[in-house]
Amino acid sequence: MWRGLWTLVARAARGPRSPRPCTRQGSGVPVPGSGTTIFALSSGHGRCGIAVIRTSGPASGHALRSLTAPRDLPPARSACLRLLSHPRSGEPLDRALVLWFPGPQSFTGEDCAEFHVHGGPAVVSGVLQALGSVPGLRPAEAGEFTRRAFAHGKLSLTEVEGLADLIHAETEAQRRQALRQLDGELGHLCHGWAGTLTQALAHVEAYIDFGEDDNLEEGVLEQANSEVRELQLALGAHLRDARRGQRLRSGAHVVVAGPPNAGKSSLVNLLSRKPVSIVSPEPGTTRDVLETPVDLAGFPALLSDTAGLREGAGPVEQEGVRRARERLEQADLILAVLDASDLASPSSRNFLDTVVAPAGAGSPNGNSQRLLLVLNKSDLLPPGGPDPSPNLRPHLLLSCLTGEGLDGLLEALRKELAEVCGDPSTGPPLLTRARHQHHLQGCLDALGHYTQTKDLALAAEALRLARGHLARITGGGGTEEILDIIFRDFCVGK
Amino acid sequence: MFSLRNCGLWVAASLTKKRLTLARFSGDSAAPLATKFDVIVIGGGHAGTEAAAAAARCGSRTLLLTHRVDTIGQMSCNPSFGGIGKGHLMREVDALDGLCSRICDQSGVHYKVLNRRKGPAVWGLRAQIDRKLYKQNMQKEILNTPLLTVQEGAVEDLILTEPEPEYTGKCRVSGVVLADGSTVHAESVVLTTGTFLRGVIVIGLEMHPAGRLGDQPSIGLAHTLEKLGFVVGRLKTGTPPRIAKESINFSILNKQTPDNPSIPFSFISETVWIKPEDQLPCYLTHTNPKVDEIVLENLHLNSHIKETTRGPRYCPSIESKVLRFPNRLHQVWLEPEGMDSDLIYPQGLSVTLPAELQEKMITCIKGLEKAKMIQPGYGVQYDYLDPRQITPSLETHLVQRLFFAGQINGTTGYEEAAAQGVIAGINASLRVKRKPPFVVSRTEGYIGVLIDDLTTLGTNEPYRMFTSRAEFRLSLRPDNADSRLTFRGYKEVGCVSQQRYERASWMKSSLEEGISVLKSIEFSSSKWKKLIPEASISIGKSLPLSHL
């Protein structure tokens, strides 16, 4: 049998008439992987009785069986009560309703499973982690369920029209979520790792493209190898230490922003019913971001007081302004506070132009952020109300001093937060963390393949894969970045 | 002694050779020159020859217009073809039945595959080529291509008419106006003018309008394109001096011998034309601190380096190497220019110093102490058109049926030019037949990577192919270019000969047979481990290698 095989291989490699030393493989173009199975929390987060976790993809049935072992799959499309337990440890997680939708009769057209679990964060995170430990499953990317449904022809034409908006909204929400999670130690670490890995990849690429007849310095490959080994150690240590990483901050992020002395801190104190921020008539009193977890109209929220936005203050306050702007980027909802009696001042106008106007719904670039415009100090206004400014968007009048208008504000907050918290894609921080871990683990696995592979092109592919995983967290890693490093570090070309 | 004036004399001498003005060269000599063609290709360089031949292979009556027929197939810079990434492009051009790989198999003097110690995905087929033989063989090929007519003439302007309403573009090209005022009409026009658009040659502080040493630049055409609203940029490149072979002391230098056996570039070449033992060697020498000194002391005499125009980062002049990476020894490869040529091309010594200083610099280098410079190195600055103005089929967005290929799109290198030439020629022909365009995607070939990068990102330096640009590097190997492109070329376009198609089909079925036999063998993982101990087999884990 072996002999026959070798003759055939040799014949294939030789060509019809004469020897041809180039050996070949018949593989064509790689098919993009749609074979993976994804999972995500599909219901909103915040206070709720029941949370729905959904999977889609070929391993859905396997995942369902793994969590409900030793039971068989429930009948298609009918709810069954099952005890969920962790597939590895066997630890019970929750008693839940499960549903089994074999494809193509499902939302995405693939095999889908739904877990209706109790809404507590511990249960949800336990089930998500259990799903993540099932081979072939990974956390869903933003908009991925919708995309799969579209790919399998499950969305009608009218629904398709909304698709781009929907995916964009989900991506935006996830981007803000990721920004928040990356703010701090983990982000710093990831960017450092990405930098090291990009450098190592660039040097390996240089060795492939120029190693042969350009004079690269000695030891380019050895240095890349040692960098990869260090990175493996750092990633491994990080993944083993579960406590490290990000601070989990639950709830909708509500950021109070406005020009100096508009009464932001007064509003924060009023809403949190405790003196969180120092209040004074002097502009620039708040210089840092002050956070306080509050219950706003029944929704968990993280309320941030920020420095008044203005130019030209001292360096400490400027840093406060920078942080305030950064926090605005990450906000789920902005409470924009202006002094109702001072709408014509340059700082108010500037704030209206740079923060309020771009955040407005339906802005041309589609980056709309939720924003409530609050005109504070209504007690200082003449009886006729504020100046009839034609360009002012819908707003709420409030007096932090007398408490007038607070009920209206709370009602408006309730409406906005209901939408923010009801949006499943913003997800709990837990899911973001699961995604980070998934990609860090993927990166580490790929680095392992790099060190084991002898064929340099295959090894470089493993490094590219590793960089791709980090890029899902930090971005970057494109060809030009690699080439820039090559041409910066080496004198190549003739 | 090597002033431009002398170069001018040298040029004039070559111009006095037998020249035919507006002579007709036709593969189909019985047919008189028509004034209407399907496709006109302007330029007879590496993009132009491939474009013209591809259009003719697709069945279009094609006219190749060039300043001089005797410069068709001229290798105006290095005497070599291929390399890492570039060899990949050549295999793909060949898979579409292009010319350059076959011509190289008939004209090389030193065949060597680079990167043999690395994986087969990054092998770089490369060869030193005999300039004269390449030109001869290319001219023979072009002048004997059915449906292809060759005519000498400088194109001054384009003939434009109303656009076709079903396509975008503000007008449509329908022919060209030559320098003598005559017109030739065509359904599509391919522009492959290389560095000739407002080309300027620079040596030291002297500047001289020319597309290539000894050739007139195209100025009228540059004006026309600018008037049409094309965004024009400026790039520079350079070429090293040429040295007399007998004046070099090779005995003290590192010798590089060719591969034995030689690997041909073309899928349909059984072997190359020359035996390995008859091939010529290359030699390696290095620069030294004295070279740095001469460069640094004379920067004020070097207008090419001072200019802000972008040059290639990977193919830098010796001046920019010295400036950016000081105190290093830089490689200089001494490459033969041909079997019976008495010139040596010092690869790595691209320079634009005044000629006297170039000569002084050369004699500082080991092995070149008594070297005689025959022709000085020079810089070329030229216009290119922002390639984001063309579609993936290389047709311009602005002018319907006008195609651009080669250095005009901001690329550098014979192979990059040839790759675009094939695609432009095919699409110019398809456009005439009102068929959908032929586009190679990034997942299908380096040609796709090249064109996608250019048309979506543009470029601000001469663009060169590297394997690191290809995301699907592992599957885009030089050895499987035929399975990726030959069948498409045969079925969708008709640019591939029956012979090549049959050969590719045979290869494909043999491979499939081999793979199915391999797949039919099943053992337990422990038995595999025993049979192939060096293979790492891990169970139940998805390896990246499992996609391969």
Side-chain angles (χ1 to χ4, degrees):
Chain A
M1 178 184 190
W2 280 102
R3 174 171 302 179
L5 178 73
W6 283 119
T7 330
L8 202 130
V9 172
R11 193 152 59 86
R14 249 202 329 266
R17 281 169 295 272
S18 74
R20 182 214 287 276
C22 270
T23 54
R24 339 171 337 137
Q25 228 182 49
S27 78
V29 177
V31 183
S34 61
T36 56
T37 301
I38 52 172
F39 65 92
L41 178 68
S42 296
S43 54
H45 65 112
R47 247 182 235 167
C48 57
I50 292 182
V52 178
I53 294 163
R54 193 155 54 171
T55 73
S56 173
S60 289
H62 175 61
L64 187 51
R65 269 198 303 266
S66 300
L67 265 68
T68 59
R71 306 286 292 274
D72 281 341
L73 283 178
R77 289 175 297 284
S78 56
C80 290
L81 190 66
R82 289 279 194 273
L83 177 72
L84 301 185
S85 50
H86 197 284
R88 294 250 171 94
S89 63
E91 175 198 350
L93 300 167
D94 192 19
R95 190 167 287 278
L97 274 186
V98 297
L99 286 127
W100 165 237
F101 302 94
Q105 284 160 285
S106 66
F107 166 61
T108 58
E110 302 176 320
D111 286 353
C112 286
E114 279 185 15
F115 301 85
H116 296 218
V117 301
H118 291 99
V123 172
V124 172
S125 85
V127 175
L128 289 176
Q129 275 171 13
L131 284 172
S133 72
V134 177
L137 262 69
R138 64 167 174 81
E141 299 289 327
E144 204 170 359
F145 279 96
T146 323
R147 214 159 41 217
R148 288 191 177 198
F150 174 63
H152 290 99
K154 285 286 170 177
L155 290 172
S156 71
L157 256 182
T158 30
E159 286 163 329
V160 169
E161 283 177 8
L163 185 74
D165 286 346
L166 190 62
I167 288 182
H168 180 75
E170 292 183 16
T171 313
E172 269 298 295
Q174 216 173 58
R175 187 184 66 80
R176 280 203 294 276
Q177 178 85 33
L179 265 177
R180 285 205 287 263
Q181 296 290 323
L182 275 184
D183 185 16
E185 196 195 1
L186 179 69
H188 197 68
L189 277 174
C190 283
H191 282 291
W193 293 332
T196 312
L197 187 51
T198 309
Q199 172 103 3
L201 176 58
H203 285 198
V204 171
E205 295 282 359
Y207 191 76
I208 289 177
D209 271 337
F210 308 105
E212 189 87 0
D213 60 350
D214 284 294
N215 49 344
L216 296 190
E217 296 87 90
E218 296 288 310
V220 168
L221 214 50
E222 288 71 16
Q223 204 201 326
N225 289 344
S226 76
E227 276 170 358
V228 166
R229 272 194 297 276
E230 277 170 34
L231 198 57
Q232 272 179 304
L233 291 178
L235 278 173
H238 177 84
L239 283 167
R240 276 194 302 277
D241 184 356
R243 284 163 304 152
R244 253 166 84 175
Q246 56 279 65
R247 194 154 44 110
L248 296 184
R249 289 178 295 188
S250 234
H253 282 230
V254 178
V255 175
V256 181
N261 221 20
K264 295 178 295 299
S265 299
S266 304
L267 179 60
V268 167
N269 291 345
L270 186 68
L271 287 174
S272 58
R273 276 165 268 155
K274 59 184 177 191
V276 174
S277 304
I278 300 169
V279 178
S280 86
E282 195 179 308
T285 306
T286 306
R287 291 179 163 188
D288 205 346
V289 177
L290 293 174
E291 277 180 356
T292 179
V294 291
D295 184 320
L296 277 182
F299 292 97
L302 195 73
L303 194 60
S304 306
D305 189 12
T306 62
L309 299 177
R310 65 169 171 182
E311 308 294 330
V316 177
E317 196 181 335
Q318 277 310 302
E319 175 59 20
V321 169
R322 191 192 64 78
R323 291 184 186 190
R325 290 193 192 281
E326 198 175 86
R327 196 51 66 98
L328 277 176
E329 270 273 287
Q330 307 170 355
D332 290 318
L333 172 65
I334 299 172
L335 276 180
V337 183
L338 284 168
D339 184 340
S341 62
D342 189 32
L343 288 179
S345 73
S347 62
S348 296
R349 296 212 147 280
N350 186 33
F351 181 75
L352 282 169
D353 288 345
T354 58
V355 177
V356 178
S363 73
N365 57 8
N367 277 334
S368 64
Q369 228 174 340
R370 294 181 182 280
L371 182 140
L372 281 177
L373 182 57
V374 179
L375 302 186
N376 188 25
K377 306 189 188 177
S378 62
D379 49 297
L380 296 181
L381 290 177
D387 301 341
S389 174
N391 296 328
L392 207 58
R393 57 186 271 156
H395 53 269
L396 298 149
L397 278 176
L398 176 74
S399 167
C400 287
L401 193 68
T402 64
E404 196 187 337
L406 183 61
D407 288 346
L409 175 62
L410 286 176
E411 178 55 24
L413 274 172
R414 196 192 60 74
K415 273 190 198 154
E416 291 288 337
L417 288 174
E419 292 203 29
V420 170
C421 294
D423 182 354
S425 59
T426 54
L430 282 169
L431 191 61
T432 312
R433 185 158 86 159
R435 194 178 301 117
H436 285 170
Q437 280 192 338
H438 172 79
H439 289 302
L440 290 181
Q441 186 64 51
C443 178
L444 186 61
D445 290 348
L447 291 180
H449 293 307
Y450 170 78
T451 47
Q452 284 165 19
T453 310
K454 289 199 188 79
D455 178 327
L456 195 62
L458 292 179
E461 193 65 21
L463 271 197
R464 287 176 171 198
L465 208 67
R467 182 66 187 87
H469 275 294
L470 278 190
R472 305 307 280 269
I473 304 177
T474 63
T479 313
E480 275 309 310
E481 202 181 324
I482 303 284
L483 289 178
D484 284 344
I485 294 177
I486 293 178
F487 293 121
R488 185 195 69 205
D489 290 358
F490 305 115
C491 182
V492 290
K494 294 169 292 185
Chain B
M1 106 178 240
F2 290 103
S3 73
L4 267 180
R5 222 162 295 114
N6 288 10
C7 289
L9 281 179
W10 175 81
V11 169
S14 76
L15 289 180
T16 53
K17 279 190 235 158
K18 199 172 96 188
R19 271 195 71 192
L20 304 162
T21 8
L22 286 184
R24 276 167 229 166
F25 300 81
S26 172
D28 191 1
S29 55
L33 180 69
T35 52
K36 182 142 175 72
F37 289 86
D38 294 326
V39 176
I40 293 179
V41 177
I42 303 167
H46 301 284
T49 48
E50 294 289 356
R57 281 202 304 280
C58 294
S60 292
R61 291 181 350 102
T62 306
L63 174 67
L64 175 63
L65 279 170
T66 172
H67 281 182
R68 284 162 52 192
V69 169
D70 64 356
T71 60
I72 287 178
Q74 173 105 308
M75 298 169 66
S76 36
C77 192
N78 51 322
S80 64
F81 254 92
I84 301 159
K86 290 168 168 269
H88 293 67
L89 283 173
M90 288 177 72
R91 274 284 167 97
E92 291 177 9
V93 168
D94 186 61
L96 293 168
D97 229 348
L99 313 177
C100 64
S101 295
R102 274 188 293 124
I103 307 285
C104 281
D105 289 340
Q106 299 159 20
S107 322
V109 293
H110 177 116
Y111 294 86
K112 188 166 184 66
V113 176
L114 305 179
N115 264 355
R116 280 300 270 274
R117 285 172 301 150
K118 299 160 199 167
V122 294
W123 287 3
L125 282 81
R126 188 179 188 280
Q128 298 302 136
I129 306 290
D130 184 313
R131 287 182 197 282
K132 208 171 82 187
L133 271 179
Y134 187 89
K135 202 154 98 169
Q136 273 172 12
N137 287 329
M138 180 57 90
Q139 288 180 10
K140 201 164 97 193
E141 178 79 29
I142 285 291
L143 296 175
N144 287 301
T145 301
L147 295 176
L148 177 58
T149 308
V150 179
Q151 186 183 336
E152 281 193 344
V155 173
E156 279 299 310
D157 208 347
L158 301 172
I159 304 171
L160 301 167
T161 49
E162 286 301 303
E164 293 166 286
E166 65 269 37
Y167 295 96
T168 55
K170 64 178 186 183
C171 53
R172 173 165 65 93
V173 68
S174 65
V176 297
V177 181
L178 301 180
D180 64 357
S182 63
T183 58
V184 190
H185 290 271
E187 299 288 325
S188 316
V189 173
V190 184
L191 262 188
T192 69
T193 48
T195 59
F196 279 57
L197 286 184
R198 277 196 282 252
V200 171
I201 280 181
V202 189
I203 307 181
L205 296 176
E206 293 179 60
M207 295 179 106
H208 193 68
R212 175 167 56 203
L213 202 55
D215 287 314
Q216 288 303 306
S218 305
I219 292 175
L221 207 50
H223 277 302
T224 305
L225 294 173
E226 215 161 37
K227 263 191 304 199
L228 278 166
F230 283 104
V231 177
V232 179
R234 197 123 174 107
L235 291 173
K236 68 178 178 184
T237 184
T239 191
R242 308 299 146 86
I243 301 171
K245 195 174 188 174
E246 80 280 352
S247 67
I248 299 174
N249 180 9
F250 290 112
S251 62
I252 55 167
L253 299 177
N254 290 331
K255 182 173 173 180
Q256 188 198 47
T257 50
D259 284 343
N260 188 1
S262 305
I263 311 245
F265 285 99
S266 172
F267 285 103
I268 56 170
S269 299
E270 300 300 341
T271 177
V272 300
W273 71 292
I274 185 172
K275 282 191 246 146
E277 52 270 29
D278 297 335
Q279 295 178 20
L280 302 174
C282 295
Y283 294 88
L284 177 64
T285 181
H286 289 92
T287 64
N288 54 46
K290 273 195 225 154
V291 172
D292 289 25
E293 212 173 281
I294 291 173
V295 167
L296 294 173
E297 275 172 9
N298 295 290
L299 287 176
H300 60 288
L301 295 175
N302 208 328
S303 59
H304 194 60
I305 294 305
K306 282 185 283 184
E307 297 277 341
T308 49
T309 312
R310 292 290 292 264
R313 286 182 296 183
Y314 51 82
C315 192
S317 59
I318 188 69
E319 293 95 324
S320 45
K321 288 188 205 176
V322 168
L323 287 172
R324 290 187 50 227
F325 296 91
N327 306 319
R328 284 204 208 165
L329 305 185
H330 300 283
Q331 285 184 331
V332 178
W333 285 100
L334 300 177
E335 303 177 345
E337 293 238 326
M339 263 324 188
D340 56 2
S341 164
D342 46 13
L343 291 184
I344 287 292
Y345 180 93
Q347 178 92 272
L349 215 56
S350 171
V351 60
T352 54
L353 281 169
E356 297 80 5
L357 289 166
Q358 292 188 24
E359 203 168 33
K360 191 173 152 200
M361 182 181 82
I362 288 170
T363 52
C364 297
I365 296 173
K366 186 182 170 192
L368 304 182
E369 292 85 355
K370 297 196 174 125
K372 218 171 114 226
M373 185 170 85
I374 303 297
Q375 181 195 314
Y378 59 88
V380 182
Q381 300 180 1
Y382 57 97
D383 281 356
Y384 77 107
L385 300 168
D386 186 336
R388 285 171 295 192
Q389 303 170 98
I390 52 177
T391 67
S393 70
L394 302 182
E395 183 174 355
T396 66
H397 289 297
L398 272 177
V399 180
Q400 296 174 357
R401 299 181 174 223
L402 180 63
F403 294 79
F404 292 160
Q407 266 174 309
I408 190 172
N409 288 333
T411 62
T412 172
Y414 306 150
E415 305 80 1
E416 285 83 352
Q420 293 170 67
V422 167
I423 298 297
I426 287 173
N427 281 306
S429 173
L430 289 176
R431 189 72 163 78
V432 174
K433 299 178 196 159
R434 298 187 160 269
K435 284 195 190 163
F438 179 76
V439 174
V440 178
S441 85
R442 295 186 80 91
T443 64
E444 277 177 308
Y446 279 72
I447 293 182
V449 174
L450 168 78
I451 293 176
D452 187 56
D453 278 350
L454 289 173
T455 55
T456 57
L457 303 173
T459 186
N460 53 15
E461 65 172 337
Y463 180 103
R464 179 210 199 262
M465 185 45 71
F466 307 112
T467 69
S468 53
R469 297 191 192 267
E471 294 85 353
F472 301 95
R473 179 164 62 193
L474 291 184
S475 49
L476 306 183
R477 299 191 307 275
D479 58 84
N480 66 9
D482 57 345
S483 70
R484 291 183 271 123
L485 295 173
T486 299
F487 300 102
R488 283 196 64 196
Y490 182 80
K491 287 172 186 153
E492 291 174 37
V493 184
C495 67
V496 171
S497 71
Q498 188 66 26
Q499 178 211 2
R500 180 182 293 273
Y501 174 72
E502 278 165 13
R503 169 140 191 155
S505 308
W506 173 85
M507 180 61 87
K508 189 173 170 225
S509 60
S510 307
L511 282 166
E512 281 165 1
E513 206 181 318
I515 289 168
S516 71
V517 169
L518 286 171
K519 280 191 173 166
S520 70
I521 306 168
E522 285 187 10
F523 293 130
S524 68
S525 54
S526 57
K527 174 123 191 225
W528 277 123
K529 199 111 202 166
K530 215 185 291 168
L531 288 170
I532 320 172
E534 63 273 24
S536 63
I537 301 164
S538 80
I539 302 137
K541 217 161 174 211
S542 68
L543 299 170
L545 310 184
S546 66
H547 309 304
L548 306 180

